[in-house]
Amino acid sequence: MNAQEHIPDIRKTVVLNAPIEKVWKAVATSEGIAGWWMPNTFEPIVGHAFVLHSGAFGDSPSTVTEVDPPRRVAFDWGKDWHLAFELREVDGKTEFTLIHSGWDPNQTTEFGQPHAVVRGIMDNGWTKIVEEALPAYVAR
């Protein structure tokens, strides 16, 4: 694979006007994740197999790969992707970064779509979720 074929990770960062413990509950509990992203059977336990209920796209089997409260939680999502949520305290607020990796120019999703196409769609979707849905949920 040459450099032109590399598909970069999706990275989205937002500063939330909330303490890190509150943001951690929003991004590292089943109830929290359901509140701003999608219903799930997540538990913050490394190795825990869970399901993301993706509506029209069906259920995505996932596995927790990392839990480092209150700084980082990560999991494998479906057959191809890896998601990490990173938190950092900044002047009483919390900087949240989402990293969506696992993009491969030679792979297609379970639905037969090339990664290069899906990445653009997901990039736009994550912008809305990270900049609108997550802050609205945390502000409640």
Side-chain angles (χ1 to χ4, degrees):
M1 181 166 85
N2 64 40
Q4 284 87 5
E5 293 174 344
H6 175 73
I7 302 175
D9 295 348
I10 294 173
R11 295 181 74 92
K12 302 290 176 189
T13 300
V14 65
V15 176
L16 301 161
N17 191 11
I20 196 166
E21 293 79 16
K22 184 174 185 183
V23 178
W24 177 254
K25 285 186 181 129
V27 303
T29 66
S30 177
E31 180 187 0
I33 293 167
W36 60 273
W37 187 29
M38 65 175 80
N40 63 84
T41 59
F42 177 87
E43 287 181 41
I45 300 163
V46 172
H48 176 70
F50 69 102
V51 175
L52 289 166
H53 302 292
S54 311
F57 294 103
D59 291 348
S60 294
S62 304
T63 305
V64 179
T65 58
E66 194 176 347
V67 179
D68 179 16
R71 290 179 291 281
R72 184 176 160 95
V73 63
F75 53 91
D76 291 331
W77 176 22
K79 72 177 184 65
D80 299 324
W81 296 318
H82 187 73
L83 275 185
F85 302 151
E86 295 181 344
L87 282 61
R88 198 167 65 91
E89 246 177 318
V90 183
D91 300 326
K93 298 180 182 182
T94 305
E95 181 185 84
F96 168 83
T97 300
L98 172 142
I99 303 158
H100 183 167
S101 58
W103 302 102
D104 182 335
N106 304 311
Q107 290 288 324
T108 56
T109 67
E110 292 91 328
F111 309 102
Q113 299 166 299
H115 277 202
V117 172
V118 176
R119 188 199 178 279
I121 297 165
M122 296 287 262
D123 188 45
N124 290 335
W126 280 128
T127 297
K128 194 169 179 63
I129 291 165
V130 170
E131 293 178 5
E132 296 175 25
L134 179 59
Y137 177 78
V138 170
R140 284 185 204 151

